Amino acid sequence: MSSPLPRSVDTADVDGRTILLRADLNVPLEGGRVADDTRIRASLPTLRLLLDRGAREVRVCSHLGRPKSEEDRARYAMEPVRARLRELVPDERVTVLENTRFNPGETKNDTDFARRLADGCDLYVDDAFGSAHRAHSSTVGVAELLPAYAGLLLLDELRNLGRLLGDIERPFVLVSGGAKVEDKLGVLQHLGSRADSVLIGGKMAEDVRGENPFDFDPVLPTDVVAASAFAEDAESRVTPFDALPDGWLGLDIGPESRVVFARAITQAQTVFWNGPMGVFEWPRFAEGTVAVARALAECAGFTVVGGGDSVRAVHEAGVAEQVSWISTGGGASLELLEGKELPGVAAIPVAA
Ligand code: AMP
């Protein structure tokens, strides 16, 4: 079952207050600039709400990358993020603090660092769903020092992902793929036993065919696009899944499997998709993944995509608008869907 929601920033009295806002501004950088500002944009509704309601000052903090050495300080400085945020919200009341992970106390949930962050602030708002599975100073420590509220994005993530844990509309179809089974094992086990069908493609399908780690029987591809080598321009042909020529690799689900997977998805009332059907980075092996993305777009039910590669695939297929919810949190969405409590969420009092 899904847990009660934390109290919303919408209920906080922010007029004239100084607010510490933990956002997820962990964006990709390229050549000293923000390469993709999706996460910055996703944090704007909460920031704007605080400003519209008369906040005196909003101090935005976030981690950026995984700085380890002294040289990493230049590479992961917040300046490019600060500059982009200033373009999007030109308001002098907004300041962006330096990368929280520059302080070694951050990842240890160090109280002294939490005190420094909280110093001079009246309220704490956590909107960083992508970091909610980590008990750090900026996600948990500060919530113990200041009155804490959940931001709008954090709540949207909890509501949408929470629907998959609550009373689901059936048929409920789970679609998974990619290369690594271990990362998704917990989610597949937890949600898979509630699903009406679990469709598995990608490299994962081969592992599962060898030894099924689940206590349900997933639907595997019947045909694959086989390639003579792991290369973009390798010789390739469609073969039955169980008749791969010796030394060949299945790099995508085949046309027959695409039809079967797409039919199950379009007829579902609830779908969760995580993990590509093949090596979709190479166009010749992307068709299975694109077929799943399009089927998701056609499905009239509640459709959720989580995980970097599947998110990228729905954008590349041009169907992001037709998907009900695209999760911004990788590890956090997986942990939530595994049924685990997220420390960043548990640190905020529940809604009255
Ligand atoms: P993951 O991080 O586990 O979701 O794996 C994503 C990666 O799996 C992508 O980079 C895909 O190229 C790769 N992948 C998907 N299917 C296959 C496959 N059949 N063989 C090799 N790699 C694959």
Side-chain angles (χ1 to χ4, degrees), residues 25-141:
L25 306 180
N26 183 27
V27 292
L29 301 174
E30 242 169 57
R33 292 179 65 88
V34 173
D36 176 358
D37 67 1
T38 308
R39 282 188 167 153
I40 303 181
R41 288 175 183 277
S43 69
L44 297 184
T46 296
L47 181 57
R48 292 206 170 108
L49 176 141
L50 295 170
L51 296 170
D52 290 349
R53 297 205 179 158
R56 186 174 49 166
E57 189 187 336
V58 184
R59 300 180 190 170
V60 189
C61 69
S62 172
H63 77 281
L64 179 62
R66 293 184 175 192
K68 293 200 169 70
S69 60
E70 272 305 305
E71 298 89 76
D72 281 351
R73 285 186 170 252
R75 203 162 137 220
Y76 293 119
M78 288 303 274
E79 188 47 38
V81 174
R82 191 177 288 131
R84 183 70 190 120
L85 189 63
R86 208 179 289 126
E87 282 170 7
L88 293 166
V89 183
D91 190 308
E92 282 173 5
R93 291 174 293 164
V94 180
T95 51
V96 178
L97 307 185
E98 196 39 275
N99 190 343
T100 51
R101 289 208 189 154
F102 282 0
N103 190 305
E106 160 75 336
T107 54
K108 301 186 188 93
N109 192 12
D110 174 63
T111 312
D112 286 338
F113 181 48
R115 273 200 208 100
R116 271 177 56 191
L117 288 169
D119 188 38
C121 296
D122 303 304
L123 295 177
Y124 168 66
V125 177
D126 186 4
D127 208 21
F129 177 70
S131 298
H133 59 314
R134 308 262 183 244
H136 291 173
S137 301
S138 71
T139 58
V140 169

Side-chain angles (χ1 to χ4, degrees), residues 177-180 184 202-203 230 250-251 275-281 309:
K180 297 184 291 290
K184 298 161 195 134
K203 174 99 174 34
F230 190 77
L251 295 189
M277 296 296 104
V279 186
F280 77 111
E281 295 91 339
D309 284 317

Side-chain angles (χ1 to χ4, degrees), residues 95 102 112 140 155 172 183 186 262 277 287-288 327 334 352:
T95 51
F102 282 0
D112 286 338
V140 169
L155 285 165
F172 174 28
D183 292 12
M277 296 296 104
E287 282 183 47
S327 181
L334 292 182

Side-chain angles (χ1 to χ4, degrees), residues 181-266:
V181 187
E182 318 84 70
D183 292 12
K184 298 161 195 134
L185 205 58
V187 173
L188 280 169
Q189 194 61 268
H190 193 70
L191 284 186
S193 47
R194 310 182 67 215
D196 296 287
S197 40
V198 181
L199 317 175
I200 295 187
K203 174 99 174 34
M204 186 191 275
E206 279 173 40
D207 299 346
V208 169
R209 185 180 55 167
E211 190 184 346
N212 180 10
F214 307 117
D215 46 22
F216 51 84
D217 285 322
V219 178
L220 300 179
T222 50
D223 59 347
V224 288
V225 182
S228 60
F230 190 77
E232 190 165 7
D233 58 357
E235 187 190 339
S236 74
R237 62 170 182 262
V238 174
T239 71
F241 189 40
D242 55 8
L244 266 180
D246 250 6
W248 285 49
L249 306 158
L251 295 189
D252 193 8
I253 59 171
E256 189 180 89
S257 309
R258 282 173 220 155
V259 171
V260 172
F261 281 25
R263 192 182 304 130
I265 293 166
T266 48

